[in-house]
Amino acid sequence: MEIEKPSDLLRKTNAEVLDRLAHFPLSADLKPLIRSLDDVVASFDNPNSRRYLEGYLSLPDVRAEHVTFESPWVEAKGKVLLDSERQALHHSWQLLRPWRKGPFRFFGQDLDAEWRSDIKWNRLSHGVPSLHQKKVLDVGCNSGYYMFRMAAQSPQFCLGIDPMNLFYFQFQALQQYLQAPNTYFLPLSLEQTLPFNPWFDVVFCLGVLYHSRSPVEMLKQLKSLIKKGGTVLVETLIIEGEGEVALCPYPRYAKMPNVHFIPTLKTLKNWAHKAGFKQCDTLYVEATTGDEQRQTEWVDTQSLIDFLDPHQPTLTVEGYPAPLRACVLLAI
């Protein structure tokens, strides 16, 4: 299939996902999912997507001889690139900025994203159940860094969803070289993915819950996606304290306009129990630091240092507590 416009690529990759799903016994009706995909395709040909497609199509046509998913830098190695190929690769990555999650390395060229996501992966991987031959969903997967790290465990099916067009193109560009088996991306929201329920063994939801206007309802939706014996891992912003309360920042938190509720850890666990989870184990509580989130050449926007009060870095620029994150493992 010749790729001439963004929707051409999306139709191709959607078909690949649906073809893979056809090999599984699914009790759910996938017609709503297909309708959602058709709606996305219909709106996909816009100026931003055309720029991202240019980045994807500009990637040099080289093959990786060795791929590493186990190390902090997800890496593709191969022949030494010609100067023209190296320049083309750099140009493609530039057209696909900003790169939020990483790091990656391709043919000796670093793609050092804003977040050192390997730090988070090291924290939570100790509590993640085995993903070998499991069906996995990553909600809000961004460029797919965590899915590529999961690929080291050979999941049977790994799907990332994120409604941001940029992240779809970043994933497709990365996957062109990494070729992670059984790993796919759909540019959908959580609500558009619910026809799968209950089907997944493990669901990841990292850095998404605080964007929800109804966190308990979102946790219920995540619960509906896992089959009996399944696991949900949720990482979210929290505030310190023992009370059963949540911060409702307005109009912004750390310059983000779409942060609705930041609970205490106790409140987060209450939400999980209200959503129907019987098990709620804390994997970690960690403050976000400049080692983990910082500006690089691959991020053309502000980063953590710009979100904190320069005179009192324990506070955001709005005067709220600085970012503190907790990860909990939920089961039914």
Side-chain angles (χ1 to χ4, degrees):
M1 176 181 179
E2 187 174 358
I3 307 298
E4 295 182 347
K5 54 185 186 294
S7 58
D8 293 336
L9 181 63
L10 183 56
R11 285 191 185 92
K12 176 178 179 293
T13 57
N14 286 350
E16 291 170 355
V17 179
L18 294 172
D19 180 67
R20 184 72 180 94
L21 287 173
H23 291 80
F24 293 102
L26 281 171
S27 59
D29 180 6
L30 289 184
K31 290 178 182 177
L33 177 69
I34 294 171
R35 285 197 295 269
S36 295
L37 291 173
D38 288 342
D39 290 341
V40 174
V41 168
S43 63
F44 215 60
D45 294 327
N46 56 65
N48 279 337
S49 289
R50 285 192 284 272
R51 175 169 68 90
Y52 305 147
L53 179 65
E54 180 187 347
Y56 172 80
L57 294 177
S58 299
L59 291 167
D61 185 15
V62 293
R63 182 185 295 270
E65 298 171 359
H66 179 70
V67 174
T68 301
F69 298 122
E70 297 86 355
S71 64
W73 290 76
V74 174
E75 184 173 7
K77 300 178 182 179
K79 70 162 192 167
V80 177
L81 299 186
L82 302 173
D83 286 344
S84 59
E85 292 171 330
R86 189 181 307 109
Q87 291 168 8
L89 185 60
H90 189 274
H91 176 66
S92 292
W93 298 146
Q94 289 283 351
L95 288 175
L96 291 167
R97 289 191 307 170
W99 289 89
R100 298 295 184 192
K101 303 295 172 67
F104 300 95
R105 181 174 292 132
F106 292 91
F107 308 102
Q109 181 170 291
D110 290 353
L111 185 54
D112 190 10
E114 176 187 11
W115 283 84
R116 282 294 304 264
S117 302
D118 58 299
I119 297 176
K120 182 181 295 187
W121 181 254
N122 286 342
R123 289 191 197 116
L124 66 86
S125 60
H126 300 294
V128 173
S130 171
L131 304 180
H132 182 69
Q133 291 301 296
K134 298 295 178 61
K135 293 184 284 290
V136 183
L137 177 68
D138 187 356
V139 177
C141 64
N142 202 275
S143 65
Y145 175 84
Y146 299 115
M147 292 196 295
F148 292 123
R149 294 302 302 271
M150 296 175 205
Q153 298 187 42
S154 302
Q156 185 182 34
F157 179 83
C158 185
L159 175 66
I161 59 169
D162 201 304
M164 296 292 290
N165 290 9
L166 171 61
F167 301 146
Y168 165 81
F169 284 98
Q170 288 180 343
F171 172 83
Q172 301 303 335
L174 297 168
Q175 181 70 328
Q176 180 161 317
Y177 297 123
L178 295 172
Q179 294 290 297
N182 303 321
T183 304
Y184 306 92
F185 186 116
L186 290 176
L188 299 176
S189 65
L190 175 61
E191 292 75 15
Q192 294 169 309
T193 317
L194 293 180
F196 277 110
N197 60 316
W199 191 67
F200 292 95
D201 298 294
V202 184
V203 172
F204 291 82
C205 183
L206 310 178
V208 180
L209 188 64
Y210 48 84
H211 294 313
S212 174
R213 296 180 185 274
S214 303
V216 174
E217 288 306 309
M218 184 176 186
L219 289 168
K220 287 181 180 179
Q221 291 170 342
L222 295 171
K223 174 178 170 286
S224 75
L225 289 166
I226 57 170
K227 61 187 183 182
K228 187 176 181 180
T231 301
V232 176
L233 291 106
V234 174
E235 195 224 50
T236 190
L237 291 168
I238 65 166
I239 54 172
E240 292 183 322
E242 297 299 321
E244 296 165 308
V245 297
L247 173 67
C248 182
Y250 183 83
R252 295 173 183 268
Y253 173 83
K255 297 191 178 181
M256 292 185 287
N258 56 346
V259 174
H260 301 295
F261 298 102
I262 306 178
T264 61
L265 183 59
K266 188 171 185 178
T267 298
L268 175 60
K269 293 188 173 187
N270 286 352
W271 288 350
H273 293 309
K274 284 178 179 287
F277 289 100
K278 304 301 182 186
Q279 178 183 346
C280 181
D281 298 331
T282 304
L283 296 186
Y284 63 78
V285 175
E286 290 283 345
T288 303
T289 70
D291 292 330
E292 188 173 357
Q293 184 187 14
R294 70 278 189 271
Q295 195 170 48
T296 73
E297 70 166 301
W298 302 104
V299 181
D300 51 1
T301 59
Q302 294 182 333
S303 192
L304 179 64
I305 192 172
D306 306 292
F307 307 151
L308 302 180
D309 185 327
H311 306 294
Q312 197 169 355
T314 57
L315 301 176
T316 69
V317 291
E318 301 89 0
Y320 296 119
L324 178 69
R325 292 175 182 262
C327 186
V328 291
L329 184 149
L330 308 177
I332 51 179

